[in-house]
Amino acid sequence: MTTSFHHYVRSLTPMLSAGILAADVMHIGEEIEKLDGTGVKMLHFDVMDGVFCPMITTGPCFIKGVKTKYLKDVHLMVQNPITKISQFAEAGADMITVHLESCPDHIHALIQAIKKLKNVNSVEREIIAGVAINPGTPVDSIKNVLDVVDMITILAVNPGWQGQSFIKTTAKKLQQAISLINESERDILLCIDGGVTKDNIHDIAQMAPDIVVAGSAIFDGKDPQANARFLVETLKKGKAKEIIHET
Ligand code: DX5
Ligand code: ZN
């Protein structure tokens, strides 16, 4: 069943989720303020543990410390996520995405567990539960979670670093994911993450994603506000996704 929070997130799409780890950490509050009026509604937190992928980034303390009106979109690139998801819920996550590769044997149970967590931001919201796949993982491998998952993220780069180049085969994977979502007859959000730039956002918008993550393309140390505005506007002009699912 689709909830009112899910409907709200759907109503925002296509939407840009701002990869906040690319921002100037010495001025994080000011960096977030620069997103005002741009149309951005989500902050994307890339959590990397140095085990699932080489980089170590941040964790629940930082996410909790970011006081914001924006939805907190938490992308967990960590090993053994089942032992960590509740800390991220307590830190204020509105969306928690886990990697299929981090828990292939129990991914269904993991998604169910995320959906049972409380959203501490509001009793009216649940937590949107997402599954992500790396560039080397076939889209078909998520078909057994389509009955429970709220969001699918296709990584367009290998997890680890900001500012990598968009892997071209991602376009085909988006098409495959849209077919699977339509077959599921559920309103599953489709997200693309990594390698998004002002140069390729027009093409990405034609791939009909619901949510697009952009880190370094927004927080380039020059004009985050203009960057975010340009990315949102271009995304909104993209191809509308044909939605065939429950209401
Ligand atoms: C993959 C992460 C990303 C990504 C965003 O490592 O999940 O969210 O690095 O950064 P940009 O937009 O700079 O590719
Ligand atoms: Zn991410």
Side-chain angles (χ1 to χ4, degrees), residues 96-116:
I96 296 181
T97 293
V98 287
H99 268 264
L100 174 77
E101 302 86 354
S102 68
C103 190
D105 296 339
H106 298 290
I107 190 70
H108 197 277
L110 179 57
I111 299 291
Q112 285 180 320
I114 296 172
K115 288 167 77 92
K116 283 188 194 137

Side-chain angles (χ1 to χ4, degrees), residues 92-245:
D94 292 293
M95 302 148 84
I96 296 181
T97 293
V98 287
H99 268 264
L100 174 77
E101 302 86 354
S102 68
C103 190
D105 296 339
H106 298 290
I107 190 70
H108 197 277
L110 179 57
I111 299 291
Q112 285 180 320
I114 296 172
K115 288 167 77 92
K116 283 188 194 137
L117 295 169
K118 265 208 197 88
N119 186 324
V120 298
N121 301 308
S122 165
V123 286
E124 320 234 303
R125 298 181 193 167
E126 76 285 6
I127 291 180
I128 303 260
V131 67
I133 54 168
N134 283 335
T137 303
V139 176
D140 243 20
S141 52
I142 51 171
K143 62 177 187 290
N144 292 328
V145 293
L146 292 171
D147 63 325
V148 282
V149 81
D150 301 313
M151 180 164 100
I152 294 168
T153 297
I154 308 289
L155 256 73
V157 297
N158 285 298
W161 296 271
Q162 290 150 359
Q164 299 182 72
S165 301
F166 187 90
I167 296 171
K168 288 210 168 68
T169 47
T170 310
K172 180 91 189 132
K173 292 179 86 176
L174 260 278
Q175 276 175 13
Q176 292 167 347
I178 290 172
S179 301
L180 280 186
I181 291 170
N182 286 340
E183 279 167 33
S184 80
E185 299 188 344
R186 293 186 63 242
D187 180 13
I188 301 171
L189 299 157
L190 181 59
C191 171
I192 188 160
D193 183 6
V196 174
T197 65
K198 286 193 277 184
D199 290 333
N200 65 19
I201 186 68
H202 180 267
D203 292 346
I204 289 170
Q206 299 309 311
M207 297 172 198
D210 298 313
I211 297 171
V212 172
V213 177
S216 50
I218 296 179
F219 299 105
D220 62 350
K222 292 177 193 147
D223 197 345
Q225 189 157 45
N227 296 336
R229 196 171 281 142
F230 175 80
L231 292 167
V232 172
E233 279 169 10
T234 312
L235 186 58
K236 297 269 181 204
K237 282 188 232 147
K239 188 173 159 194
K241 178 155 157 268
E242 195 192 345
I243 302 170
I244 310 168
H245 53 64

Side-chain angles (χ1 to χ4, degrees), residues 44 46 75 77 193 213:
H44 183 90
D46 282 313
H75 179 188
M77 288 161 277
D193 183 6
V213 177

